[in-house]
Amino acid sequence: MLNTDISSTVDLPDTMHAIVLVEPNEQLSLSDVQVPLPTQSEQELLVKVEYVGLNPIDADLAKKGFCQWQYPHIIGFDAVGTVVKAAKGIFPNVGDRVMWHSNIGEQGVLSEYASVPNFAVSVVPDNVSGSDAATLPCAGMTALIAMKKLQISQGETIFIDAGAGAVGQFAIQFAKQLGADVFTTAAKGNHKLVKKLGADAVFDYQDKKLIEKITRELGPQGFDAVLDSIGGESTSRNIELMRFCGRIVCLKPLPYFDEKLLFKKSPNIGILSLAGAWLSNSLCAQQHMSFMSNQLLESLANKTIQTPAIKAIEFNAQAVSSALHTQINGGFTGKQIIKIA
């Protein structure tokens, strides 16, 4: 039975403002609605949401939906807010600021309040702003897991596609901290940015001679590792640029591979999906996400990582729909953050 011996810093309303997807649609059309406050189990917190970070997956799923969703569905995965209700003895405590990446199979976080398991959150340090923290969960954890799956070590070469994207920016920093030589692609206007983050060599992703120029800079040996964030034809291109038995982590579904390419390169291919921690019902994986969040927040507090530039988005359906179009159209540098409160 839920322990209701709870202190609260606010008088809680019965309903809340939320932004929902009534049904998947190509127009990324969303709606402003009033819905009841979410309920909590004994191990869940009620959090007053303050900031929500948008990700490309938000736009993708607004178009096609997800098999476990019931509609209308509250969208959004990355949130920062303050705990306003928790069972006695549960940590974090009422009043603590927390950050988390939510369960893909349940209601999202683009609402004034959200419920989240206490083991899935991380407490935000006092010297980290809520908006900066909201840039971390999806992009930061994806970059961290990618480095671990790729087993990056001192002196290796890594190719990071789309270095100016949020995942790319974090991945460049982590790869350099591990001692790798970092090659990346970016629009010409973002070359200065990714070099400041640590990239050793930057190439224009629109260059028709991209492969030739990378090969000339890299030499004949090929990359030890690749973070493939774009997918499609880029995945085969990236494998072609790898050394024999090199390692690649893909963030998109795998395309059809030419058999000769696979025999030629014998790549070690890994797939990365944060959603799997929830879909597999792995408590260990879900707790590990919290550990990674702690690592990201500690790095940010110690100023050993830099967050992407933030673009503020208003908390209404029209503004968020426009922001999702920006995400899906590409060419966007930085992180779109919605201020809820």
Side-chain angles (χ1 to χ4, degrees):
M1 181 176 178
L2 179 63
N3 186 340
T4 56
D5 183 8
I6 299 169
S7 61
S8 178
T9 57
V10 295
D11 293 326
L12 298 176
D14 295 324
T15 63
M16 64 178 183
H17 175 199
I19 296 177
V20 302
L21 182 69
V22 175
E23 61 181 8
N25 63 92
E26 289 289 326
Q27 295 74 35
L28 307 178
S29 177
L30 305 170
S31 297
D32 292 293
V33 298
Q34 286 292 126
V35 296
L37 257 64
T39 58
Q40 299 83 54
S41 69
E42 192 164 355
Q43 298 299 316
E44 289 184 317
L45 311 167
L46 181 65
V47 179
K48 190 177 193 306
V49 181
E50 297 164 2
Y51 296 93
V52 171
L54 289 181
N55 298 289
I57 190 173
D58 294 305
D60 291 340
L61 294 181
K63 272 194 171 186
K64 64 185 180 183
F66 185 67
C67 59
Q68 293 187 11
W69 286 2
Q70 294 183 341
Y71 299 96
H73 179 81
I74 300 172
I75 66 169
F77 293 103
D78 292 355
V80 173
T82 299
V83 179
V84 293
K85 187 176 179 183
K88 186 176 181 180
I90 293 295
F91 179 83
N93 302 310
V94 169
D96 286 337
R97 277 194 315 160
V98 294
M99 176 190 86
W100 75 98
H101 180 74
S102 66
N103 187 340
I104 189 173
E106 298 183 358
Q107 293 289 348
V109 295
L110 203 44
S111 54
E112 292 179 295
Y113 295 87
S115 290
V116 58
N118 73 307
F119 57 77
V121 305
S122 295
V123 176
V124 179
D126 291 339
N127 65 335
V128 173
S129 71
S131 57
D132 281 346
T135 70
L136 295 176
C138 187
M141 282 194 282
T142 296
L144 269 182
I145 296 173
M147 294 304 106
K148 292 178 181 178
K149 288 177 75 74
L150 290 169
Q151 300 178 329
I152 299 299
S153 60
Q154 181 79 32
E156 289 194 313
T157 56
I158 180 173
F159 180 62
I160 298 171
D161 243 341
V167 173
Q169 289 190 41
F170 286 121
I172 289 170
Q173 296 175 79
F174 295 144
K176 289 306 297 180
Q177 290 172 10
L178 293 168
D181 293 326
V182 177
F183 292 64
T184 191
T185 55
K188 285 185 178 181
N190 291 322
H191 284 203
K192 185 177 180 180
L193 167 65
V194 295
K195 285 183 178 179
K196 183 178 179 182
L197 293 173
D200 297 286
V202 187
F203 304 89
D204 182 357
Y205 76 97
Q206 293 181 320
D207 194 329
K208 294 181 179 180
K209 295 184 177 180
L210 177 62
I211 295 178
E212 178 184 330
K213 291 183 178 180
I214 290 176
T215 303
R216 187 186 310 143
E217 182 78 21
L218 176 64
Q221 68 272 18
F223 292 113
D224 296 300
V226 171
L227 174 52
D228 179 68
S229 58
I230 297 176
E233 295 179 358
S234 296
T235 306
S236 294
R237 179 205 68 192
N238 291 341
I239 291 176
E240 184 67 51
L241 289 168
M242 290 163 56
R243 66 169 174 80
F244 181 71
C245 288
R247 310 176 304 273
I248 182 170
V249 163
C250 303
L251 307 186
K252 301 286 187 178
L254 294 179
Y256 168 79
F257 290 121
D258 179 72
E259 193 174 77
K260 289 174 61 178
L261 175 64
L262 296 182
F263 279 119
K264 176 183 176 182
K265 293 294 183 176
S266 188
N268 293 289
I269 301 174
I271 306 297
L272 198 163
S273 167
L274 290 183
W278 298 103
L279 297 176
S280 63
N281 293 317
S282 170
L283 179 59
C284 180
Q286 293 161 22
Q287 291 175 322
H288 185 62
M289 292 175 73
S290 175
F291 299 153
M292 287 190 295
S293 293
N294 289 336
Q295 180 181 344
L296 291 167
L297 286 166
E298 182 179 350
S299 297
L300 188 54
N302 295 335
K303 302 186 186 304
T304 57
I305 60 170
Q306 176 182 323
T307 63
I310 291 172
K311 179 181 179 182
I313 305 297
E314 293 182 11
F315 180 44
N316 64 69
Q318 184 176 355
V320 175
S321 176
S322 178
L324 292 183
H325 279 283
T326 299
Q327 292 280 173
I328 214 163
N329 289 336
F332 171 70
T333 301
K335 195 76 174 176
Q336 299 188 101
I337 303 295
I338 301 153
K339 190 177 188 301
I340 308 296

